[in-house]
């Protein structure tokens, strides 16, 4: 079973309604944008839900380190590609 799937083939409330609509994954840009939006605030942490296939923009790891806050990753998608 994949993440968010039940044995009856339906999806649970955590994943129901979420759909990828973009053509690229730019996690680094998302971290940079978060840092720009909250430059003087201390972040307790960030939760990232993604398939983690980084294929556009700044490197995600370097941008996440610049946040200075923990990043909690939740992997989504197929178990094999």
């Amino acid at each position: 079973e994949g993440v968010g799937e039940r044995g009856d083939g339906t999806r649970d409330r955590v994943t129901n309604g979420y759909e990828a609509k973009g053509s690229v994954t730019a996690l680094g840009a998302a971290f940079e944008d978060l840092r720009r939006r909250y430059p003087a605030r201390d972040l307790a942490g960030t939760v990232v839900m993604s398939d983690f296939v980084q294929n556009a923009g700044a490197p995600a790891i370097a941008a996440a380190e610049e946040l200075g806050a923990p990043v909690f990753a939740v992997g989504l998608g197929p178990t094999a590609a």
Side-chain angles (χ1 to χ4, degrees), residues 58-74:
I61 293 174
E65 288 173 344
E66 290 292 320
L67 283 176
V71 175
F72 301 95
V74 179

Side-chain angles (χ1 to χ4, degrees), residues 3-80:
V3 173
E5 291 185 17
R6 296 187 252 176
D8 63 2
T10 60
R11 301 182 81 62
D12 63 25
R13 287 189 296 166
V14 173
T15 58
N16 190 25
Y18 292 98
E19 180 181 344
K21 294 181 182 178
S23 60
V24 299
T25 300
L27 295 173
F31 288 128
E32 289 173 346
D33 184 52
L34 183 60
R35 193 180 78 235
R36 278 191 300 275
R37 288 178 185 220
Y38 302 98
R41 298 181 185 173
D42 292 326
L43 293 174
T46 302
V47 177
V48 178
M49 298 171 68
S50 176
D51 62 1
F52 297 99
V53 179
Q54 171 74 16
N55 61 7
I61 293 174
E65 288 173 344
E66 290 292 320
L67 283 176
V71 175
F72 301 95
V74 179
L76 303 174
T79 56

